[in-house]
Amino acid sequence: MTFPDPGARPAGHTRWKRLGLVMVPTLLVSAVLLAAIGTGTLPVSLAVSAQSMVISGQNLKISADRLQGTGFTQYVGMDRSKTKAYPEAIAGIDSADLYNLCQSMVIRLPVVGETTLRISAGGGGKPAHADHLVVHTDDLGGDAVFRNITIGQDASTFNDGSGALAGVFGQRADTVRIDHLRQSTREVTAATFRLTGLHLSVKAGAKPCY
């Protein structure tokens, strides 16, 4: 008959202190993400419709060295939160590449205070990519080039599923390129959004993309 070595660690033993140390960063990130989703700061809708959800009214900052896309449309519309309405420029892009993309949102957490959730992707010449991208913005800056642009088209005739009302002033272009993009938006949706080289960071304080 053999007896177990008294100094041997039993199989399946969990080192709770070490596990707790490993889990703390994950739980903190999860808490921030859940808080952002719960307050509506972090959009999670992938619907293509430009009028797909009730927004929180909080702003997300987006920057990119370059946005390059095909199938561009834009018109002025309105978003609604539970308490307020917001006029927005609603832009749709069938296929978009974003180089050195940065997205940031500053939220206020209990005890911690202001906290920045920042997401970067599309570096090293391998851009982030979105299909059927729809962006609702109240402020945009950069150097833009449009090809085969039409200004003044009835936005309800766009074939992008935007659902704009008849008679709304719109514009469209075959291609769009915006260098040094700086954008403030309350809603972003896409059918697919591929974030190449994704990096997420959560830091105390306000540290937006720009």
Side-chain angles (χ1 to χ4, degrees), residues 33 37 67 76 86 121 144 186:
L33 288 173
I37 291 170
L67 179 153
V76 175
Y86 302 89
R186 292 187 179 91

Side-chain angles (χ1 to χ4, degrees), residues 6-123:
R9 187 170 62 195
H13 177 71
T14 301
R15 302 186 67 174
W16 294 108
K17 184 178 290 186
R18 178 175 294 179
L19 177 62
L21 291 174
V22 172
M23 288 297 292
V24 165
T26 302
L27 291 174
L28 285 173
V29 172
S30 299
V32 172
L33 288 173
L34 288 173
I37 291 170
T39 60
T41 308
L42 180 60
V44 294
S45 171
L46 293 181
V48 177
S49 171
Q51 309 294 337
S52 59
M53 64 180 176
V54 176
I55 64 170
S56 70
Q58 295 175 301
N59 285 75
L60 168 73
K61 286 194 172 182
I62 298 174
S63 67
D65 288 353
R66 183 168 87 247
L67 179 153
Q68 200 157 350
T70 59
F72 171 83
T73 59
Q74 186 179 64
Y75 66 97
V76 175
M78 183 175 64
D79 282 330
R80 289 186 181 276
S81 67
K82 289 186 176 181
T83 59
K84 193 174 179 180
Y86 302 89
E88 306 277 19
I90 302 175
I93 303 176
D94 286 345
S95 178
D97 289 326
L98 299 107
Y99 294 81
N100 288 325
L101 171 67
C102 176
Q103 301 177 82
S104 65
M105 59 211 75
V106 178
I107 62 176
R108 182 170 291 278
L109 295 176
V111 182
V112 178
E114 282 192 331
T115 302
T116 303
L117 174 61
R118 186 164 173 159
I119 298 171
S120 61

Side-chain angles (χ1 to χ4, degrees), residues 86-171:
Y86 302 89
E88 306 277 19
I90 302 175
I93 303 176
D94 286 345
S95 178
D97 289 326
L98 299 107
Y99 294 81
N100 288 325
L101 171 67
C102 176
Q103 301 177 82
S104 65
M105 59 211 75
V106 178
I107 62 176
R108 182 170 291 278
L109 295 176
V111 182
V112 178
E114 282 192 331
T115 302
T116 303
L117 174 61
R118 186 164 173 159
I119 298 171
S120 61
K126 297 179 179 179
H129 179 81
D131 292 313
H132 302 298
L133 178 67
V134 179
V135 181
H136 299 218
T137 185
D138 60 358
D139 190 78
L140 182 148
D143 301 315
V145 177
F146 300 92
R147 300 292 184 190
N148 295 326
I149 188 170
T150 300
I151 300 174
Q153 183 173 341
D154 187 325
S156 68
T157 64
F158 294 155
N159 296 319
D160 60 356
S162 61
L165 298 175
V168 172
F169 183 95
Q171 59 182 348

